Amino acid sequence: MKWKTVLAIFLLVVLYLIIGATVFKALEQPEEGLQKYRIIQEKIHFLSMHTCVNTSELEDLVKQVVFAIRAGVNPSGHPSNESSMWDLSSSFFFAGTVITTIGFGNVSPHTEGGRIFCIIYALLGIPLFGFLLAGVGDQLGTIFGKGIAKVEKMFVKWNVSQTKIRVTSTVLFILFGCLLFVALPALIFQHIEGWSALESIYFVVITLTTIGFGDFVAGGSEIEYLDYYKPLVWFWILVGLAYFAAVLSMIGDWLRVISKKTKEEVGEFRAHAAEWTANVSAEFKETRRRLSVEIYDKFQRAAYIKRKLSSELGQNPGQDMMPCKRTLSVNFTDELEREGLPTLTKNGSLYLNGLTPDCPDRSEISIIEHLK
Amino acid sequence: MSTAFRSWFMLIGFILAYFTYLLLGALVFSAIERPVEENLKADLSALKAEFLNLSCVNSTALESFLERVLKANKYGVSVLENTSLRTNWDLASSLFFANTMVTTVGYGHTTPLSDAGKAFSIVYALMGVPFTMLVLTACVQRLMHPLTYRPISACQRRAGLQPRSASVVHFIVLLFLVVLCFFVVPSLVFSTIEETWSFLDAFYFCFISLCTIGLGDFVPAEKPGQSLRALYKISVMVYLFVGLMVMFLVLRTFHKLADVHGWTAFFQLPSCDEDDEDKEPIIEAGPEDDSPEAEKASIKPLDPSSQVSYNSINR
């Protein structure tokens, strides 16, 4: 059953991917076609305007330029005096993107040495960052959990259900976090980087989920940035990631608690039901036992009185008081009940013989037998 | 009070260590890469100058043209002749893109161009990333039993090792196998298929992808005129997904190892829960392991004579 569920979920993921693929294709392919058309037009226009350039020369130049761009060097403008992509602050930023596994890619190592170092660096750095994130997320989750507990204590007096409090406080937490870590930075980026609102939110989401495409990078354009801008961006990434991690761990904890609670409740319910059933059946058996014992007592007394009377009256077989054989049988289901009561049982059933004037001997004998 | 203080102390220690690590990395990267960058810049300006000298093109026209080309290139659209037929958004490539998105690798070699695409990406990522993480975690928890718990206990039984040494031995063997199957062999395959990649490049690609960093400087199946491109992309996708699962497994095994050796307790970190059965109900309904236990716990023996209040009748 377990593997079937995992397989089902896996198929669900594949389905999700296929749906995403078709939607992306439908949305993006037309735009791509448009861009292609435009750039081909540009090329043709350029070639026609500058007739001394032939196609192959242009292609060569373009290839080199594209390669340079991939290496992080921007060939347009004046490349001599601008800042490097590998000065200390940018390298710091790059190291940060490697360790957090965001990996924008607008800057990447091109030397063999750089690449080997990148591998080793990531091998050690990613677990380190993972521990840090786990610790920070844990602390945040605990702080938040304590806050919720306090709020719950307050609201319990007002007889609001615990689940409601929890749900509302989570929603508030998520909203507040969104405001602080998503909306506010998006506004700042929109203002400083000159992106549209959608592009800023897109950048924030892509960065904080550590996808990190790199088409938009804060601090990656040619704008003159303030000195503290890049470190601030990096700090925001760290805290934003911790926030996402805290939210995820909180959701995970709750799912676990819910499933545990459900299991407990189901277990408790089962236990209660079983106990109730046991009690009821035991009571029922006891009632039957008591009843049969009382009946036996009564007949015993009646028999004694009858004997006394008949001995006093002599041998006077009188009228029919009771029919010859009247049996009252109570069946015990198991040995325990049988042993609980002394005598009186033959083959698991209790026989009480009624008194008969027709067969006094037999009745007496029967009684004696049964008394034994 | 001291444990709380200690945990904060540990956390601050971690943050400081992290900062130092970043700084160190920045220094090394800067030292290695900067000279190469300078050379490339010099080459490029020389190329531009040469081009301008030879032709009738003036500087501004060239600059504007280059800007347009670069903008198109950023979106993955190339102006070079032989690539004009290929699209980045056919079904296989879109599937690959969606996969890189939900596994948070995010190469960036193709990115959404339209506003609608960007908006859809936001929503898709916000739902897809936790979903994928949940699926991977569930699969890994299941895989831990045949791949980690049973071998370690078998190791303990047969070789008579202590839990600590058994877990260390198992981890080393697992690491070796993973590196062989998921790094070395795929690197060989990639370096053969992609002509411009050396073995180191392919290894670098495998590593950067499986750690979900995804810089995007190397992306397979992007060569113009690649045969069986769709099949290639889909097999790379499968490789990435399985590889990611295996990386999670290795990480979790390492976490258990740290638990066994008491490192997590020492560093006040959250430990790897023994009671994995607790987490399984997140994913599925009715785990088999739990129901017999729950049954046993809840059903008490139905013995009326054991009921104290009814033992009074003695005859």
Side-chain angles (χ1 to χ4, degrees), chain A residues 1-3 5-6 9-10 13 16-18 20-25 28-29 31-32 36 39 42-43 46 50 52-53 59 61-65 68-69 71 73 75-77 79 84-88 91-92 94-96 98-99 101-105 108-112 114-115 117 119 121-126 129 131-132 139 198-199 202 209-213 215-216 234 255-256 259-260 263 267 270-271 275 278-279 282-283 286 293 340-342, chain B residues 7-8 15 18-19 21-23 25-30 32-34 36-37 40-41 44 47-48 51 55-57 61-63 65-66 68-70 73 77 79-81 84 86-89 91 94-95 97 99 101-102 104-108 111-115 117-118 120-122 124-125 127-128 131 135 139 142 200-201 203-204 207 211-215 217-218 241 269 273 278-279 281-284 288-290 298 300 302 304 307 310 313 315:
Chain A
M1 191 56 106
K2 274 189 250 173
W3 280 105
T5 325
V6 174
I9 295 176
F10 178 75
V13 170
Y16 189 73
L17 287 176
I18 292 177
T22 34
V23 175
F24 276 123
K25 175 171 186 265
E28 292 296 319
Q29 208 161 22
E31 179 72 27
E32 184 196 31
K36 264 194 193 166
I39 197 69
E42 281 267 355
K43 184 172 154 189
F46 187 84
H50 308 95
C52 55
V53 181
E59 299 255 325
L61 179 70
V62 168
K63 263 193 209 154
Q64 284 278 42
V65 163
I69 275 290
V73 176
S76 67
S84 158
M85 295 295 266
W86 290 105
D87 57 358
L88 199 61
S91 303
F92 191 84
F94 173 73
V98 167
I99 291 190
T101 77
I102 297 177
F104 283 124
S108 61
H110 277 82
T111 58
E112 275 203 4
R115 285 178 184 148
F117 178 71
I119 291 176
Y121 190 74
L123 263 177
L124 297 173
I126 292 175
F129 187 75
F131 279 137
L132 176 69
Q139 294 282 0
L198 178 67
E199 285 166 357
Y202 170 76
T209 50
T210 78
I211 296 177
F213 282 132
D215 47 352
F216 294 97
W234 178 84
L255 283 174
R256 215 175 302 147
S259 75
K260 225 189 211 172
K263 264 205 302 192
R270 280 214 202 112
E275 209 180 307
N279 287 355
E283 205 173 316
E286 266 316 309
V293 165
L341 289 172
Chain B
S7 81
W8 275 106
I15 294 177
Y18 175 66
F19 262 102
Y21 193 73
L22 281 182
L23 205 65
L27 284 167
V28 176
F29 273 124
S30 189
I32 295 180
E33 291 292 320
R34 201 152 175 183
V36 177
E37 186 197 27
L40 191 60
K41 271 191 195 171
L44 204 62
L47 184 72
K48 250 169 83 171
F51 189 80
S55 64
C56 47
V57 182
L62 185 64
E63 294 283 325
F65 179 70
L66 284 180
R68 286 292 294 111
V69 167
L70 294 177
N73 185 66
V77 175
V79 77
L80 299 174
E81 250 178 350
S84 54
R86 195 197 69 194
T87 170
N88 274 323
W89 293 101
L91 197 63
S94 305
L95 197 62
F97 174 73
N99 186 50
M101 215 170 175
V102 293
T104 78
V105 171
Y107 288 122
T111 54
L113 303 169
S114 56
D115 275 352
K118 288 186 180 116
F120 179 70
S121 311
I122 293 174
Y124 193 75
M127 291 200 303
F131 186 29
V135 169
C139 289
R142 204 81 70 251
L200 178 66
D201 292 339
F203 192 85
Y204 170 76
F207 182 79
C211 289
T212 77
I213 299 176
L215 288 170
D217 42 0
F218 290 102
F241 201 76
L269 292 167
D273 284 338
D278 255 340
K279 290 184 192 159
I282 299 173
I283 308 299
E284 59 200 71
E288 284 174 355
D289 276 348
D290 295 313
S298 59
K300 295 167 192 163
L302 296 178
Q307 302 290 329
Y310 296 103
I313 312 237
R315 294 246 165 193

Side-chain angles (χ1 to χ4, degrees), chain A residues 192-193 195 217-230 233:
Chain A
I192 294 187
E193 300 276 346
W195 299 333
V217 180
S221 323
E222 295 300 310
I223 313 171
E224 273 297 313
Y225 295 112
L226 300 166
D227 272 341
Y228 57 83
Y229 180 68
K230 270 192 186 159
V233 169

Side-chain angles (χ1 to χ4, degrees), chain B residues 152 162-172 253 257 260-261:
Chain B
I152 291 185
Q162 293 296 314
R164 284 191 176 194
S165 21
S167 53
V168 169
V169 164
H170 168 263
F171 182 68
I172 292 176
T253 311
L257 186 79
V260 167
H261 284 259

Side-chain angles (χ1 to χ4, degrees), chain B residues 25-294:
Chain B
L27 284 167
V28 176
F29 273 124
S30 189
I32 295 180
E33 291 292 320
R34 201 152 175 183
V36 177
E37 186 197 27
E38 298 292 327
N39 281 341
L40 191 60
K41 271 191 195 171
D43 280 346
L44 204 62
S45 44
L47 184 72
K48 250 169 83 171
E50 203 183 296
F51 189 80
L52 286 173
N53 273 341
L54 288 176
S55 64
C56 47
V57 182
N58 62 357
S59 187
T60 41
L62 185 64
E63 294 283 325
S64 60
F65 179 70
L66 284 180
E67 233 176 86
R68 286 292 294 111
V69 167
L70 294 177
K71 191 166 161 233
N73 185 66
K74 203 171 75 158
Y75 294 133
V77 175
S78 171
V79 77
L80 299 174
E81 250 178 350
N82 49 5
T83 60
S84 54
L85 295 168
R86 195 197 69 194
T87 170
N88 274 323
W89 293 101
D90 59 345
L91 197 63
S93 309
S94 305
L95 197 62
F96 188 71
F97 174 73
N99 186 50
T100 62
M101 215 170 175
V102 293
T103 52
T104 78
V105 171
Y107 288 122
H109 63 298
T110 40
T111 54
L113 303 169
S114 56
D115 275 352
K118 288 186 180 116
F120 179 70
S121 311
I122 293 174
V123 175
Y124 193 75
L126 280 176
M127 291 200 303
V129 170
F131 186 29
T132 313
M133 289 303 137
L134 217 60
V135 169
L136 285 174
T137 318
C139 289
V140 166
Q141 275 170 12
R142 204 81 70 251
L143 283 175
M144 283 287 275
H145 290 281
L147 290 178
T148 303
Y149 297 138
R150 280 197 215 139
I152 291 185
S153 49
C155 219
Q156 283 178 244
R157 263 184 280 122
R158 299 225 188 110
L161 290 168
Q162 293 296 314
R164 284 191 176 194
S165 21
S167 53
V168 169
V169 164
H170 168 263
F171 182 68
I172 292 176
V173 170
L174 182 72
L175 209 61
F176 178 71
L177 282 174
V178 163
V179 167
L180 191 70
C181 299
F182 283 93
F183 285 93
V184 175
V185 168
S187 304
L188 285 169
V189 172
F190 279 128
S191 59
T192 323
I193 298 181
E194 300 279 343
E195 283 137 27
T196 51
W197 296 10
S198 68
F199 178 76
L200 178 66
D201 292 339
F203 192 85
Y204 170 76
F205 162 74
C206 291
F207 182 79
I208 294 289
S209 308
L210 288 184
C211 289
T212 77
I213 299 176
L215 288 170
D217 42 0
F218 290 102
V219 182
E222 290 298 314
K223 192 184 67 176
Q226 174 76 42
S227 57
L228 296 173
R229 193 156 160 255
L231 184 68
Y232 186 20
K233 274 203 138 91
I234 296 200
S235 34
V236 172
M237 231 178 78
V238 171
Y239 160 67
L240 285 180
F241 201 76
V242 177
L244 203 63
M245 207 182 298
V246 168
M247 295 296 273
F248 270 37
L249 182 76
V250 168
L251 224 71
R252 211 174 156 79
T253 311
F254 181 71
H255 203 172
K256 275 226 87 63
L257 186 79
D259 261 355
V260 167
H261 284 259
W263 299 333
T264 42
F266 180 70
F267 285 113
Q268 304 268 347
L269 292 167
S271 69
C272 195
D273 284 338
E274 271 296 340
D275 196 13
D276 279 345
E277 267 79 50
D278 255 340
K279 290 184 192 159
E280 286 174 10
I282 299 173
I283 308 299
E284 59 200 71
E288 284 174 355
D289 276 348
D290 295 313
S291 36
E293 291 171 25

Side-chain angles (χ1 to χ4, degrees), chain A residues 346-368:
Chain A
K346 246 186 198 172
N347 304 320
S349 50
L350 174 67
Y351 287 93
L352 291 169
N353 276 333
L355 295 167
T356 63
D358 300 331
C359 38
D361 304 335
R362 265 188 40 196
S363 64
E364 282 191 47
I365 292 169
S366 313
I367 289 171
I368 291 167

Side-chain angles (χ1 to χ4, degrees), chain A residues 36 38 126 177 203 209 264 272 335:
Chain A
K36 264 194 193 166
R38 280 205 202 120
I126 292 175
F203 167 72
T209 50
E264 270 175 16
H272 276 302
E335 289 295 317

